[in-house]
Amino acid sequence: MENTSMGYHTFAFFQKTDEEEYQVLENDFIGYMQRTKKLKRSPVRNKDKIQIGWQYTYKDDKEKGIHWLMLSSKAKNNYVTRGVLAVINQEALIENNYIRAAKDDDLKEVEEIYNRETEKISKIFLKFGSCSLNRVDPCLNIDLKELGIPCTPEQMMKLIKRGNIPRHYEERKECYDSKQRRMVSDKNSFYLESKSSVINFYWKYAKQGKKHPNYSKRESSRNVIRLEVECKYLKLYALVKNRNRESKYYESAEGLSIDEMYMRMYKGIYNPVIPIDVVLSANIYEPIIRKSIYKILRKGNYFTLDIARDIVESYHFRSSKEERMIEVLELVNESHGIAKAKSKLRENEFRRFNKALKELDDILVNPVTIPRRWDIRHIPNLLRAYYDSIYEEQLVPCQEFDAMKRIEEVLEKVKQ
């Protein structure tokens, strides 16, 4: 498959510098920019519109997979943090591809390109792998057409935006609606923010129209939905705490004298707390993606309300359980989403609601239902559709296997 893929698309790491190194590096960037004409720069501003540095990017599209931000900011205690942030989009850097997710297989090539480019610019730069990651964006790309999913990207975004908003997350409002006279969310994006991460499920084609309108391969993203989790430093630290010895970049200090250790520190040679190669591996990014999807979009497939109700009733649960599940299906349908349904609940009703959500997960029925006017009976869970596309046979829990058989039986009856 060309577009459907799981991996990551952007990662970044920060190299701290002292004041003298910062000035040298700044001058080196300007000198390289003037000599080669390959780079351009633009000011970087904080939330208060105060300039805190410069961004350096390549002019040539073929080299746009990497850019740097020279940053100098003062904290409330007047402590100044200086350094350079390197931001890398691996697939864009290697293949000029802004759609497909990257894998850790190509990290060696990225390392070679990064070291080669930084050596041309300045001696201040540390080697690739010497700095801790402070951001990585695991992602799942779903090309609806490739997987035969029977809905448009616009329809899929409407279902996604009816999903759950986990605790400690808020949906970002980024567009002003003159009719409603208030800020509203982007119709092509479900953008949720917390202190440690950002979860953004969006229609890739629409976003590229804003960020890369002249990208030559943009048309191939027309049916791509991207499910992305931007992990910040705090989340990454918790994920790989005390695992830096697993990194190929780890350098043991055993047997070194105090002078040798000091020299290593002086030269900026140390073992990153958040190693690049440890984080950019499938056993780290896949659970992040899976957990986020299950929290927000849930585990179940999408059905019309009538079919979802038929599936619940086909199990002949005890009456209290069946009533609870159908009640939640109807409330989410009436409220146009899980988050909106939750906002209507009183404090003592949350436990019952959340219990029903888990019970619907168990039978692979999504609480968000398909509008009847779409004339679509069934849309698969996006993560399950991805796994079905890459594995000929999957090992699934008995409960899920039974639920899938029950769904097939109910859909067959409806067809008749």
Side-chain angles (χ1 to χ4, degrees), residues 248-279:
K248 72 175 185 178
Y249 302 109
Y250 180 82
E251 295 186 35
S252 175
E254 292 180 13
L256 294 181
S257 67
I258 292 176
D259 288 342
E260 287 171 327
M261 290 180 67
Y262 176 78
M263 185 57 68
R264 279 180 57 170
M265 292 175 63
Y266 177 76
K267 291 182 177 179
I269 301 171
Y270 63 98
N271 292 308
V273 176
I274 305 174
I276 289 175
D277 55 333
V278 174
V279 175

Side-chain angles (χ1 to χ4, degrees), residues 99-293:
I99 303 170
R100 189 170 56 244
K103 304 284 188 183
D104 55 348
D105 301 350
D106 295 323
L107 203 56
K108 188 175 188 301
E109 188 173 353
V110 173
E111 178 179 359
E112 292 170 355
I113 294 172
Y114 180 83
N115 289 337
R116 186 168 62 244
E117 291 303 304
T118 52
E119 284 171 4
K120 295 176 186 175
I121 298 170
S122 175
K123 294 180 180 179
I124 299 295
F125 278 111
L126 296 178
K127 294 292 186 182
F128 185 89
S130 299
C131 302
S132 283
L133 278 182
N134 69 348
R135 169 193 165 188
V136 64
D137 299 355
C139 67
L140 171 63
N141 290 328
I142 297 292
D143 189 311
L144 302 177
K145 190 172 182 180
E146 281 183 352
L147 299 188
I149 294 175
C151 66
T152 65
E154 294 93 335
Q155 289 172 328
M156 179 53 69
M157 283 310 309
K158 286 180 181 178
L159 295 177
I160 287 173
K161 288 176 72 67
R162 293 182 180 186
N164 183 40
I165 299 179
R167 287 181 61 192
H168 310 304
Y169 283 86
E170 290 186 2
E171 184 176 10
R172 185 171 75 174
K173 311 295 182 184
E174 52 184 308
C175 310
Y176 182 76
D177 189 310
S178 57
K179 291 183 179 179
Q180 300 183 54
R181 295 184 179 180
R182 62 184 177 89
M183 295 296 288
V184 296
S185 60
D186 183 346
K187 67 179 181 178
N188 296 311
S189 173
F190 194 40
Y191 192 104
L192 308 178
E193 297 178 285
S194 78
K195 290 182 178 180
S196 63
S197 65
V198 171
I199 301 173
N200 189 13
F201 297 165
Y202 59 92
W203 181 17
K204 183 66 177 170
Y205 180 80
K207 187 169 183 179
Q208 278 194 323
K210 295 179 181 178
K211 292 192 70 176
H212 306 285
N214 299 319
Y215 176 51
S216 60
K217 299 178 183 177
R218 183 185 169 220
E219 187 60 30
S220 64
S221 70
R222 183 171 288 278
N223 296 292
V224 175
I225 300 293
R226 172 169 282 176
L227 313 177
E228 169 186 304
V229 186
E230 180 186 318
C231 301
K232 301 177 186 178
Y233 185 89
L234 289 175
K235 186 176 183 69
L236 294 175
Y237 179 79
L239 283 170
V240 296
K241 184 179 179 182
N242 299 324
R243 292 184 58 182
N244 60 348
R245 287 176 178 268
E246 298 174 23
S247 171
K248 72 175 185 178
Y249 302 109
Y250 180 82
E251 295 186 35
S252 175
E254 292 180 13
L256 294 181
S257 67
I258 292 176
D259 288 342
E260 287 171 327
M261 290 180 67
Y262 176 78
M263 185 57 68
R264 279 180 57 170
M265 292 175 63
Y266 177 76
K267 291 182 177 179
I269 301 171
Y270 63 98
N271 292 308
V273 176
I274 305 174
I276 289 175
D277 55 333
V278 174
V279 175
L280 301 182
S281 58
N283 64 346
I284 293 292
Y285 63 69
E286 187 169 348
I288 293 172
I289 296 167
R290 184 169 59 245
K291 186 176 180 181
S292 298
I293 290 175

